[in-house]
Every structure is written in C-alpha cells, then in structure tokens.
Amino acid sequence: MPPHCDSLDGPVVNAARHALAAGDVDQVLPYVPATAEDEVRAAFARVLPLQADGTAGAVARQWFFETVVRLHRAGEGAPYTGLKPAGLDVGPVIPLAEKAVESGDGEELYQLLAGDLRDQLTHRLARVTRLAAARDASVAAAREHVQAMLGFQVYAHHLHQALHTDPHGGHEHG
C-alpha cells in the first residue's frame, strides 16, 4: 500500500490530532487493536498536559503520533517504519476510496478499477494470443507462450484472491 496510514496527513495521525484537540482519547482508539488501548491511553495521558508547552508540546504530539501509528501498523501485522511526511502521492485509488467512504458512492472508484482491470487483462491476453501464434516455431517460442499463458492464469487467480481477502491479512483491530 502506498504511504497513507503512516503519513502525517493520513487517517491515523488525523484521528490522533482530533483526539488531542478534543481531549478525548476515544477518537483515536478505533485505529488501534483493542490490545493496544492501554498503551494509547497511557501515552495520551502523558501528552495531553504538554499541549500548550511550545516545543515540548510539539515533541510530545510527534511522539504520540508515532506511538499510535506504530500500534496501528502492528495491528495490521505490518512493520512500523516511521512517520511519513504529509503530501505524498498515494496514487489515484486512495483518494477515490476516501471519497467513496465519505459519499457512500463507489462508482468513480469502480470505474477506475474496472478500467485498469480491463486494460491489464486485454494487454496480457493479447500477449498470450500473439505468442500462441508463434509457439510452433521452436521450443523456445513454445516455452515463452507457456510462461505467458500460465502467467496470465496466475495473474487472474491472484486478482480473484485479492478480491476475497481480508485487507489486513486476517489481523482485525478488535
């Protein structure tokens, strides 16, 4: 996944910012697994009194963001590699997915994904078909066709699996 949950303008840090501003840790708890609640509550309690303290407040907020993102990533079964800067390119899918969540309408996202899928399948199948026409020329040509054919089938299988897989690899946020 492109940088998103671990970026300074991602949903986890935004929830942490809102929690600190409101003085309500419950606003960030949904972003971490239940097993991490105590650690988040303790970090929140340490940071909250430092909010107005200039540099110390900024350092404390940054530490809180890092803590929450680290625990969020652990809940996904993913490594924590530090906070990423705001404004990174997350590609076209994440903004459309966010828009779909906000509006309840996934049509734009569907159109993008369906178009990408159609283009990829068309391109890959055309290669298989092109190689099939020359497969009798030599063992090397037949081998190239077989590799493309099997690659196409495996690609389709992986897509199907991705459509039916938990996005966090079975790790729920409890």
Side-chain angles (χ1 to χ4, degrees):
M1 170 149 190
H4 188 246
C5 287
D6 56 356
S7 67
L8 285 170
D9 58 353
V12 179
V13 171
N14 282 335
R17 272 195 188 96
H18 291 300
L20 288 169
D24 181 9
V25 71
D26 287 352
Q27 292 188 23
V28 74
L29 291 178
Y31 290 86
V32 300
T35 57
E37 272 192 35
D38 289 344
E39 186 174 349
V40 172
R41 287 181 189 282
F44 187 83
R46 292 175 79 187
V47 171
L48 201 56
L50 300 173
Q51 286 284 10
D53 190 1
T55 301
V59 170
R61 280 188 299 278
Q62 182 78 9
W63 173 77
F64 183 65
F65 299 158
E66 290 171 352
T67 299
V68 174
V69 169
R70 175 180 52 81
L71 294 169
H72 170 81
R73 297 289 289 162
E76 293 178 324
Y80 173 67
T81 58
L83 289 177
K84 308 298 184 278
L88 294 176
D89 181 8
V90 294
V93 173
I94 295 294
L96 288 178
E98 288 174 337
K99 184 177 177 183
V101 168
E102 289 172 17
S103 70
D105 180 3
E107 185 60 26
E108 283 184 76
L109 177 60
Y110 169 77
Q111 291 298 326
L112 174 73
L113 294 173
D116 285 351
L117 176 59
R118 181 186 51 250
D119 293 348
Q120 283 296 314
L121 291 174
T122 299
H123 169 76
R124 291 166 188 262
L125 186 56
R127 181 170 185 266
V128 171
T129 303
R130 185 178 68 252
L131 292 171
R135 72 178 171 238
D136 294 334
S138 68
V139 170
R143 185 174 291 122
E144 188 175 11
H145 170 254
V146 166
Q147 288 174 348
M149 175 187 62
L150 295 177
F152 178 78
Q153 293 169 359
V154 169
Y155 177 76
H157 175 71
H158 284 239
L159 285 171
H160 185 261
Q161 285 183 313
L163 290 170
H164 299 278
T165 300
D166 179 335
H168 293 137
H171 300 279
E172 294 298 322
H173 288 270

